[in-house]
Amino acid sequence: MGCCSSKPNKKEGEKKGSKKQYSWDNKDKVNPKDFIIENVKGETTGRTPGQVNGQQLIIQNCEDASIYIFDNSAQVTIDDCKNCRIFLGPVKGSVFLRDCSDCKCVMACQQFRARDCKRVGTFLHCVTQPIIESSNAMLFGCFQYNYEELEDQFKAAEISLFNNNWSNIHDFTPSDEEKNWGLLPEGSKLEEYVPLPGTEQFKELKLSTHPKDSVLPLTISSSRRKAPESCLVVFFSDGGQIERARNFLNDMRENHPHCILVQSKEVTMQEDDARRVFGSESYILMVKLGPVIGFEYNGPGAILSCQRSVADTAYGSTGLAFVSSNRKTAMSYIENFYNFADMQMSA
């Protein structure tokens, strides 16, 4: 008869009582306290790039404080803050501003919600329609900022540089006596509201609030059109449409300063959308290639200026662009494009 042998125990040799290790056990542990800023009085504080890294953030019970978050986050709640200056880098979800007063803010987010606030001024980049509720004396301007990591933070937060509804405020509790919100005065300088930090913590960051340096275009809002002539310019996807759009914006600012950028949008269009917006079959193939970027410029001779700028900045490009051809049809194209964009973004 053959000899009997027992099957080796697969746990044999393992230390008795040892705990099995899993890959997720080796991940860095997140300490919630690292993402809470509270009870700051009369001081400057915040986070530098990489310190938040897409986590949720809480700011609460601060007074006379300057708070700078130079990083992207998932969601931010700001509660019970008084007389504070607050900068928020791109927020992938919502910013909730509650029970705050006499604050000045700079922030970029997918959604903005303010409740029970008063006398708050915000330079805002918001993808969806900003909402205020039970709030008054709320003022808004267009986000303008730049530092080395900012554009990558916008990408991480999945926020388009061209979709900004900063001036399209919805008030859930409008007053019969006076409007609860308005726009900051034209020409308002962001740095006068939220000064650049001068503390040791942020000294290595190359910060700028100048419109020509900003990663986002400065728009004035459709309520501030000053001239009877506007022009629609749409860049179609060719792999380099963002660079072409930036070259165009720079050229318009430097060589056609009498024209001002009213609004911008980046949207995806289908064949039927292209037919409705442009009233033609000519752009159907182009919209299939990817998202399009649209601008409205306003000013005397805006159409001719935009046509020249598109031509001057088109060197080396195989991409197409749509530019309004005459004043008679320009506004209808603008309404078609931005009504479509607003409907798509609210769907």
Side-chain angles (χ1 to χ4, degrees):
M1 293 180 63
C3 65
C4 294
S5 63
S6 61
K7 204 172 189 180
N9 189 336
K10 66 179 178 179
K11 292 187 178 180
E12 194 173 16
E14 287 185 9
K15 199 170 182 178
K16 191 172 181 180
S18 64
K19 186 178 179 182
K20 189 171 183 179
Q21 293 290 310
Y22 296 94
S23 59
W24 52 81
D25 290 326
N26 298 321
K27 289 187 177 180
D28 293 336
K29 302 295 184 182
V30 173
N31 186 350
K33 291 183 179 180
D34 292 338
F35 306 100
I36 299 175
I37 297 174
E38 60 182 344
N39 303 321
V40 180
K41 310 291 183 183
E43 297 179 0
T44 297
T45 188
R47 301 290 186 270
T48 54
Q51 288 190 313
V52 180
N53 200 26
Q55 298 292 327
Q56 295 188 25
L57 191 70
I58 295 172
I59 301 171
Q60 59 190 13
N61 300 319
C62 297
E63 186 172 355
D64 297 317
S66 296
I67 301 167
Y68 300 88
I69 309 299
F70 293 117
D71 206 357
N72 59 289
S73 50
Q75 176 179 293
V76 179
T77 58
I78 305 172
D79 293 316
D80 300 294
C81 289
K82 297 179 181 178
N83 195 33
C84 292
R85 279 77 46 205
I86 301 172
F87 175 91
L88 297 180
V91 181
K92 187 173 183 177
S94 298
V95 171
F96 295 100
L97 195 67
R98 300 176 295 209
D99 297 291
C100 294
S101 61
D102 301 297
C103 292
K104 297 177 176 65
C105 305
V106 183
M107 51 186 63
C109 54
Q110 288 279 357
Q111 297 180 320
F112 175 90
R113 303 287 186 268
R115 191 195 70 206
D116 297 311
C117 295
K118 55 187 177 183
R119 298 183 300 278
V120 175
T122 304
F123 288 84
L124 181 65
H125 181 92
C126 188
V127 176
T128 58
Q129 186 177 29
I131 290 175
I132 64 172
E133 183 177 0
S134 301
S135 301
N136 61 73
M138 306 289 286
L139 295 175
F140 295 89
C142 183
F143 181 107
Q144 292 290 283
Y145 224 90
N146 194 20
Y147 51 90
E148 187 176 352
E149 299 84 356
L150 183 56
E151 186 166 352
D152 285 339
Q153 291 171 3
F154 269 96
K155 291 177 182 177
E158 299 177 8
I159 296 177
S160 168
L161 303 176
F162 302 105
N163 288 336
N164 192 357
N165 282 292
W166 68 269
S167 63
N168 185 24
I169 313 299
H170 178 70
D171 186 355
F172 266 126
T173 53
S175 170
D176 293 332
E177 298 178 0
E178 60 181 349
K179 198 173 182 180
N180 291 323
W181 66 275
L183 305 184
L184 287 165
E186 289 189 68
S188 295
K189 294 183 179 179
L190 185 152
E191 194 171 341
E192 294 177 358
Y193 287 78
V194 182
L196 297 178
T199 53
E200 187 76 12
Q201 181 182 8
F202 305 112
K203 72 174 186 177
E204 299 298 327
L205 299 178
K206 298 176 181 178
L207 307 171
S208 175
T209 63
H210 198 288
K212 72 177 179 63
D213 298 326
S214 178
V215 298
L216 307 175
L218 174 64
T219 56
I220 64 160
S221 155
S222 57
S223 65
R224 285 178 166 171
R225 293 188 186 105
K226 289 182 169 55
E229 183 174 330
S230 280
C231 179
L232 176 66
V233 178
V234 179
F235 290 97
F236 297 94
S237 182
D238 66 343
Q241 70 273 19
I242 292 179
E243 189 63 27
R244 290 196 295 134
R246 281 180 169 155
N247 290 339
F248 167 73
L249 292 171
N250 290 336
D251 185 78
M252 289 295 293
R253 183 177 59 251
E254 294 173 6
N255 298 318
H256 308 275
H258 58 284
C259 295
I260 50 179
L261 181 61
V262 176
Q263 53 186 333
S264 66
K265 281 289 188 296
E266 182 177 19
V267 291
T268 299
M269 304 182 76
Q270 306 300 324
E271 292 183 25
D272 288 343
D273 304 324
R275 289 190 184 96
R276 287 193 299 270
V277 169
F278 301 111
S280 167
E281 304 281 323
S282 302
Y283 302 96
I284 289 176
L285 293 178
M286 296 306 299
V287 300
K288 290 181 178 181
L289 298 177
V292 304
I293 302 171
F295 302 111
E296 179 196 348
Y297 268 91
N298 178 263
I303 293 173
L304 181 58
S305 291
C306 288
Q307 290 173 342
R308 287 176 173 171
S309 184
V310 169
D312 290 343
T313 58
Y315 53 86
S317 168
T318 57
L320 291 178
F322 170 91
V323 187
S324 299
S325 58
N326 61 77
R327 287 179 59 178
K328 188 174 181 181
T329 60
M331 192 52 68
S332 63
Y333 282 122
I334 290 168
E335 291 174 353
N336 288 347
F337 181 80
Y338 285 99
N339 286 341
F340 160 74
D342 289 341
M343 285 189 296
Q344 187 196 60
M345 295 177 69
S346 62

